[in-house]
Amino acid sequence: MNSTELTCRNDRRRHDVRQAPLFGLDFVEVDLSADHATLEIFFLGKAPPQIQLANVRITGGRRLRDLWVKEIHVHRQEDPTLDDYLEVVVTPAGDASTYTLRLVKLDADGHPTDDPMDDFDPRYAEVDFTFRAGCPTDLDCKTPATCPPPQREQPDINYLAKDFDSFRQLILDRLALTMPDWRETHAPDIGVALVEVLAYAGDYLSYYQDAVATEAYLGTARQRISVRRHARLVDYFMHEGCNARAWVTIATDIDAVLDARNIFFVAGLPSPDMRLLQADQFAQLAPGQYELFESLVKDATSPIQLYAAHSEIHFYTWGDCACCLPVGATSAALIDQWVSVNPVPSSPTLLPGGEGRTNPSPVGRGVGVREAVAVGDENAPPGTKRALNLQVGDVLIFEEIVGPTTGNPADADPRHRQAVRLTKVTRTVDPLYHPYREDYGQPLVDIEWCSEDALTFPLCISATLPAPDCDCRANLSVARGNVILVDSGFTIGESLGEVPAASRTDRCATACEPPDSLNTPAKFQPILAQRPLTFAQPLPDCGCAVTFGRQDPRLALPRIWLIGTQPSAQGAVVTSWTAKQDLLSSGGTDPHFVVEMDDDGYAHLRFGDGNLGARPNAGTAFQASYRLGNGAAGNVGADAIRCIVFRQMTDGIGNLQPRNPLPARGGTVRESVEDVKMFAPFAFRNVLERAITAADYAALVADNARRLSERPALLAAANALPLTTLAPHDQPHDPRAAIEEEPGEAGGLDTDACLIPFQPLQGARGTLRWNGSWYEALVAVDPVGRSGGDEIDDELLNEIDGYLQPYRRIGHDLDVRRAEYVPIDLVLSVCVKPSYQRGHVESALLDVFSNRVLADGRLGFFHPDSLSFGVDIYISRIVAAAQAVAGVLEVHVSQLERFDPGEPVPDMNDELPADGKLALGPFEIARLDNDPSFPENGRLLLMLRGGR
């Protein structure tokens, strides 16, 4: 190429020269393999017909200028798609400077001239090259053409100017230099007015600069959104509070079906007679006098089945009196009834909501198998069925309705109410009593519920009333069905507008793509018009009633659903956008967004940038459906929710009486900025993310709350099934937000997996052992309430092993095993006071040194929860415990040692530890069951004297 200064990005002339009957030089390749240099000069197409040695002229260079061309060879390609090239051998090899190679004409004497050969294109008659182009380098050998901006003189800047007055004076001083003839100082002058406008703009920008610097650090930030983002960087989730949840039971006189999308509940109405309201009646109520609750159901489109028989269910005492369910009970028997089977009506039953849907079965929650099971009961009298339709997964509320000591309903203890979730339902019959016919017994339903829902109080079922009645009063406590979970808040809809376009870029057509235009979306951060936005923790995939009622505000997500509609040539594209806590784990195409609450309680929506979360396209219109109501205002008391409201006119549903026997809980106010600044800097130290030491393994296993929260995912992995819930889901209440689920989201855990009882641990102990090649982490577990290692099943060990795997350090093997339970052989010699009966004292001592829970709630000396890993047994503690028993005059420990199976009878030779304690190893736990059938689990021998 000739030495013109013109540079072009699109070199179209190079292609045209190949097509024209012209010659041109394309590029040069240099080979420095020998002491000379070989140049390969490539043509644009074909080479001239005749090239002599004298036609090749090389000029340039700085240190080596006189290069001698020794020989040339022309290589002509037969393939028309390949270019010819000229091989030139020169000596010596040139330096690293630039040389120019040309093919020139010869004069009459055969000497080279300065003119190019005939038919050479003037643009490509010469080519520049260097002899060092082939040296290895990491840089691009082609120097890019640059068009630098013009040099401008920068004025002196006074960086001390930060307010309006200083900016005004700075501009006036500058004008005095550039416009010395302008000396106007009056405020009405247009020049002075412009100076003050510029000074105001500078003052605003200076304030903004200071504000940005202030919000850049957690310690100085003042805006809530800034503090939230800073805290997230140190793994601290600033929470916005959460709404309240409550269990509502609906009493009904007929079986009815409700549409979850058509109802909501009201608490705090002044009149207790307002039990059922239509939409127009509710609109007449004065706002601000009530709290609203909506139902949390598995699927908002599925009907809610109510049964009249579930309004109040009585417990069965098997004909006995003065019965109660003790603390920790997880099973009971309920009284069922035989009822006549009504013929199925020929016309379909209209479901509430006015949508014309029909109930496929007159009983069951849309599942016809329940009717078949009830009618097909072999113990049922002809033409009858069972009244109760309890199923696994249902929730019941136990409630004391009559005072057990007085028989007065006003004396019922409101604290004796508890919700339980059924894990097993068995339909049985008591053949002893025949309340209906001689050949048919009393129908019963045996129920079991979650271990986490074990009774926290004794539930009295029947009692003998005091004189003068002296009769047996039954049904002191009842079970209530038709229970649904509700949470505070009310759903509304709002249009957020369209994503604006920041710019439009038209792209020219290329050889591969047609012309196109690209709309760059502008920043789109809408603000919701209503407040406060509801925050709630998503319901667990499976769990017990107590689990559904609990909420961690730091795990709460905003209850908002977005539908984005983007017009296109093929039709509107509808996308459902999901709210997340942050976008750090979101991909560039994930339709996720984040809700950030400002200091005034308004919600700001922030979308992704195309790398972390999808960026909404320009022209996309967003429609929002979200819940209003948050914080502690929803924590209403028991029996406060007593009204149900229908959004659409509904009739034929009978007499509905909703109420919440238990108070609403979980409503939490949002965290303050001051608390975040205090606790966030230390948050990363509070969560153990990796087990490094033996103590780390033990701490992770002993954290029952953490293991319980991760249990659903662990069970799903163990069963190789996708996660879903057997209980209510968070579902959008707006029908427009109903989007088809992606493949893999359907399905669910099997019932047994979700309802496996959770076994909490009392403690754990870990150690690291070197096996010759790597370390093995040995973890021993001690479950709560277990009395021996033989009662710890393998499922618990496998579950803990799977729970620890994600935290295991690389290079550590994991071995989870049972604790080593050491049976104790204990002999006590006791002197009884003369005024006490020896049998009474012996019974009291057996209770004190038992492994049971005593009648007064105290734990026995050898109760499993009183002992843990490495807890030594001290003689002094044994003596103190025995001496505290009424009637004991003197106690002497005759024997304290590990149980020896070879000694069928305890040795009385005072075999006591030398230091006054029976030492146990770090993985050992003492055990004394005192079971004559299993002496190898520890035994106790009492030798009493004295007394009477």
Side-chain angles (χ1 to χ4, degrees), residues 568-587:
S568 64
Q570 293 77 18
V573 178
V574 180
T575 306
S576 178
W577 293 72
T578 306
K580 297 291 184 179
Q581 282 192 330
D582 54 55
L583 300 177
L584 298 179
S585 59
S586 300

Side-chain angles (χ1 to χ4, degrees), residues 89-167:
V89 180
V90 300
T91 185
D95 55 30
S97 60
T98 302
Y99 292 82
T100 302
L101 185 144
R102 293 180 292 169
L103 297 181
V104 298
K105 293 181 179 180
L106 303 179
D107 58 12
D109 298 331
H111 298 105
T113 65
D114 293 334
D115 298 329
M117 296 179 64
D118 294 336
D119 298 332
F120 257 85
D121 183 77
R123 177 75 170 167
Y124 297 100
E126 61 183 34
V127 61
D128 295 334
F129 70 97
T130 176
F131 284 93
R132 298 297 183 264
C135 297
T137 178
D138 294 332
L139 304 178
D140 192 350
C141 60
K142 182 178 180 180
T143 304
T146 59
C147 297
Q151 295 288 338
R152 293 196 177 116
E153 182 181 356
Q154 298 292 335
D156 294 335
I157 300 177
N158 183 8
Y159 291 98
L160 298 179
K162 296 292 290 181
D163 56 3
F164 175 82
D165 294 333
S166 59
F167 282 126

Side-chain angles (χ1 to χ4, degrees), residues 597-618:
M597 307 298 295
D598 62 15
D599 298 272
D600 297 327
Y602 287 98
H604 298 243
L605 308 187
R606 176 168 58 87
F607 294 87
D609 57 0
N611 294 319
L612 300 177
R615 186 178 186 180
N617 297 323

